[in-house]
């Protein structure tokens, strides 16, 4: 089975431009997560969806960031306008959700998108 | 609030030897899960092993085992017979029980960079 797919793998853009990151979760997974990784802040959750519905977006840094999940197999994270401080690796992850009340629910990560904003 | 602490920024080990990567956590939840991920230089996040707070035995997955000491709130990763391919960043993460209005998010430590020397 294919893992989480992210595109593009690398993105270089100029400040002020719109950036769209894409993610295809593992088929059958009900949860989708967007994380950002930087040297200063480490790995931090931006937003997550359950059955295509955004559940917790408290980690989204500001209004320039938005995320959508129009269907079970596709999600986007958009930054508009982009700024140099948005440079980071953005990960998408998916999981099946809790089974029988167990919290043993592993999140599987995509390869990440390395974003550089000049 | 949940917190993960990894006190070893870097570790070195000789090939074929065992190494322990430290992880301590702080939570007020009675039920929680602990995860370890590996991030090689290529950047992807690879799930290694899981430990539930009520699991009676320490988790093992091949050469990976988890030294779980609940009273001390520690969940150290033990890698036996280190291989050159084990050189990577290793992240400890936890998730607590889902309370009403709570989040599924994983809280990550800052990571430990492991270098395996030939």
């Amino acid at each position: 089975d294919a893992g989480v797919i992210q595109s593009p793998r690398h993105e270089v853009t100029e400040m002020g431009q719109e950036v769209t990151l894409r993610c295809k979760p593992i088929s059958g997974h009900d949860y989708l997560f967007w994380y950002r990784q930087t040297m200063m802040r480490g790995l931090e959750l931006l937003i997550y969806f359950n059955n295509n519905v955004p559940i917790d977006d408290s980690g989204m840094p500001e209004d320039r960031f938005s995320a959508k999940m129009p269907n079970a197999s596709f999600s986007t994270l958009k930054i508009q306008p982009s700024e140099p401080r948005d440079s980071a690796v953005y990960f998408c992850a998916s999981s099946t959700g809790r089974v029988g009340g167990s919290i043993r629910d592993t999140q599987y990560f995509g390869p990440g998108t390395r974003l550089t904003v000049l | 609030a949940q917190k993960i602490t990894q006190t070893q920024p870097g570790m070195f080990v000789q090939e074929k030897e065992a190494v322990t990567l430290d992880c301590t956590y702080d939570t007020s939840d009675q039920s929680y899960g602990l995860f370890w991920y590996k991030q090689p230089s290529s950047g992807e996040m690879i799930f290694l092993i899981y430990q539930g707070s009520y699991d009676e035995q320490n988790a093992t997955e091949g050469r990976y085992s988890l030294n779980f000491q609940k009273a001390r709130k520690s969940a150290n990763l033990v890698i036996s017979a280190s291989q050159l391919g084990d050189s990577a960043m290793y992240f400890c993460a936890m998730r607590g029980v889902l309370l009403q209005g709570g989040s599924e998010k994983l809280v990550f430590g800052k990571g430990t960079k492991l270098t395996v020397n030939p």
Side-chain angles (χ1 to χ4, degrees):
Chain A
D1 189 15
V4 175
I5 299 172
Q6 290 186 249
S7 64
R9 295 293 308 276
H10 302 273
E11 177 80 24
V12 180
T13 190
E14 292 188 347
M15 183 175 63
Q17 296 298 307
E18 177 179 297
V19 175
T20 299
L21 310 182
R22 297 172 176 79
C23 175
K24 176 180 170 56
I26 294 171
S27 177
H29 281 193
D30 292 333
Y31 286 83
L32 183 140
F33 305 81
W34 282 101
Y35 288 89
R36 179 171 67 177
Q37 185 180 33
T38 61
M39 289 296 293
M40 290 297 296
R41 300 175 66 91
L43 269 159
E44 51 183 348
L45 179 72
L46 299 177
I47 185 172
Y48 80 92
F49 296 83
N50 179 22
N51 291 322
N52 313 335
V53 177
I55 301 300
D56 182 356
D57 65 354
S58 60
M60 295 286 264
E62 47 196 276
D63 292 345
R64 297 185 298 105
F65 285 69
S66 63
K68 294 182 179 180
M69 192 165 186
N71 58 62
S73 59
F74 184 66
S75 177
T76 59
L77 178 67
K78 185 176 295 186
I79 308 172
Q80 167 63 19
S82 58
E83 296 183 3
R85 59 191 169 125
D86 301 331
S87 297
V89 179
Y90 291 81
F91 286 101
C92 177
S94 71
S95 68
T96 58
R98 294 163 180 244
V99 178
S102 169
I103 60 172
R104 192 210 188 293
D105 178 36
T106 300
Q107 294 180 19
Y108 294 94
F109 283 70
T113 295
R114 183 174 295 275
L115 174 65
T116 302
V117 183
L118 303 175
Chain B
Q2 297 166 348
K3 184 179 179 181
I4 293 284
T5 302
Q6 294 181 255
T7 57
Q8 307 154 315
M11 288 284 287
F12 294 87
V13 65
Q14 288 297 122
E15 194 177 7
K16 299 181 184 179
E17 292 184 353
V19 63
T20 298
L21 306 183
D22 294 342
C23 172
T24 59
Y25 59 91
D26 189 21
T27 181
S28 56
D29 291 335
Q30 294 300 307
S31 180
Y32 49 87
L34 295 153
F35 302 78
W36 277 91
Y37 286 84
K38 172 184 178 182
Q39 186 176 39
S41 57
S42 52
E44 69 268 32
M45 294 285 289
I46 302 167
F47 166 70
L48 295 178
I49 194 167
Y50 165 85
Q51 178 81 46
S53 59
Y54 285 108
D55 291 345
E56 294 185 353
Q57 294 189 341
N58 287 345
T60 60
E61 289 286 350
R63 294 186 300 110
Y64 304 108
S65 61
L66 212 151
N67 183 3
F68 180 51
Q69 298 187 41
K70 193 171 181 178
R72 294 186 176 185
K73 292 189 175 180
S74 73
N76 299 337
L77 177 70
V78 180
I79 305 174
S80 63
S82 297
Q83 302 172 356
L84 296 178
D86 294 335
S87 293
M89 285 289 290
Y90 289 80
F91 292 93
C92 181
M94 97 180 285
R95 182 178 64 236
V97 67
L98 180 64
L99 302 175
Q100 187 174 7
S103 175
E104 291 276 351
K105 73 177 182 181
L106 284 175
V107 175
F108 284 86
K110 295 294 186 184
T112 296
K113 184 176 182 179
L114 176 66
T115 302
V116 181
N117 294 316

